[in-house]
Amino acid sequence: MCEQRTRLGALVSGGGSNLQAVLDAIAAGTIHGDVVLVISDRPHAYALERARAAGIATAVLTPDAYPSREAYSQAIADCLQQASVDLVLYAGFMRIVTREAIAPFRGRMMNIHPALIPSFCGPGFYGRRVHEAALHYGVKVSGCTVHFVEEDVDGGPIIVQRTVPVLEDDTPETLAARILEQEHQAYVEAVRLFCAGRLRVEGRLVRILPERPVGV
Ligand code: GRF
């Protein structure tokens, strides 16, 4: 493959297991790209350690250093643009950014959500709350969704979804763990397809283009 490698930037707040899955897939040659910058809103996020261990540049941008959410979002966009990032990965980033960060990366910013969108998503549905809501509702399947980021929280076009069964004795923790395993595969798949130029957004539909023959 001779086409340029995609430059990836990741936004993180926590453990960074999805970031690690992407890094592992890059190392294995599955993803034709490189993570060039990892930004966190929390200085002690373990995801930053993972980035440093992989020799990746990191930045910590804390929201309280900015007068508004818009100014914070602009700072994130500036940082990503300075690093010439092609694709932004929300990877467990616990902040909602505004248009200032989204518009420059429209169609080039992904998020992973631990439920089957449009269920159990939107403002207030994050972390344990998502799984509590799914168990409370009594659904028989849950899963994860990778989607492009739009201003409407969790509302952008869906790229990949994977399902898991919900068991009768599940707790939010056991369900979260079962879903997280699938998240790692789903995120790698979505990033792999983007980097191979195989995603085309048509309104709400993300079309997955066939693999191109070598040399074409
Ligand atoms: C994942 O469950 C993801 O769906 C959600 O935040 C969690 C991040 O986990 N947005 P990790 O930091 O990637 O381990």
Side-chain angles (χ1 to χ4, degrees), residues 14-19 91-94 111-114 180 183-184:
S17 68
N18 279 290
L19 170 65
F93 189 56
M94 301 305 277
N111 179 44
I112 185 150
H113 182 72
L180 191 61
E183 288 186 38
H184 299 158

Side-chain angles (χ1 to χ4, degrees), residues 170-184:
D170 261 335
T171 63
E173 287 71 29
T174 58
L175 180 56
R178 193 175 312 115
I179 291 174
L180 191 61
E181 281 178 26
Q182 296 303 314
E183 288 186 38
H184 299 158

Side-chain angles (χ1 to χ4, degrees), residues 45-205:
Y46 184 65
L48 288 172
E49 308 256 339
R50 295 183 191 268
R52 290 184 195 119
I56 296 164
T58 61
V60 176
L61 298 183
T62 50
D64 51 13
Y66 299 87
S68 64
R69 198 189 275 188
E70 287 73 18
Y72 182 60
S73 301
Q74 186 63 59
I76 289 175
D78 290 347
C79 207
L80 292 165
Q81 285 178 319
Q82 274 160 23
S84 302
V85 164
D86 302 309
L87 175 65
V88 182
L89 305 179
Y90 246 78
F93 189 56
M94 301 305 277
R95 305 274 164 192
I96 295 173
V97 295
T98 61
R99 191 175 187 285
E100 283 72 14
I102 298 169
F105 293 99
R106 202 172 299 284
R108 302 190 294 130
M109 183 182 261
M110 291 180 185
N111 179 44
I112 185 150
H113 182 72
L116 294 173
I117 291 174
S119 291
F120 312 119
C121 64
F125 283 100
Y126 57 87
R128 193 177 199 277
R129 293 177 186 209
V130 177
H131 309 296
E132 277 171 352
L135 292 174
H136 186 254
Y137 201 92
V139 293
K140 298 295 188 191
V141 290
S142 190
C144 59
T145 304
V146 184
H147 63 91
F148 283 115
V149 174
E150 293 285 345
E151 283 82 348
D152 179 17
V153 177
D154 294 331
I158 290 171
I159 305 163
V160 173
Q161 289 188 302
R162 294 178 78 103
T163 59
V164 304
V166 177
L167 307 181
E168 288 176 7
D169 58 355
D170 261 335
T171 63
E173 287 71 29
T174 58
L175 180 56
R178 193 175 312 115
I179 291 174
L180 191 61
E181 281 178 26
Q182 296 303 314
E183 288 186 38
H184 299 158
Q185 297 185 38
Y187 222 173
V188 165
E189 178 64 358
V191 175
R192 181 183 79 80
L193 290 168
F194 182 98
C195 294
R198 292 182 54 198
L199 298 179
R200 191 166 70 209
V201 182
E202 296 176 4
R204 283 214 52 85
L205 177 70

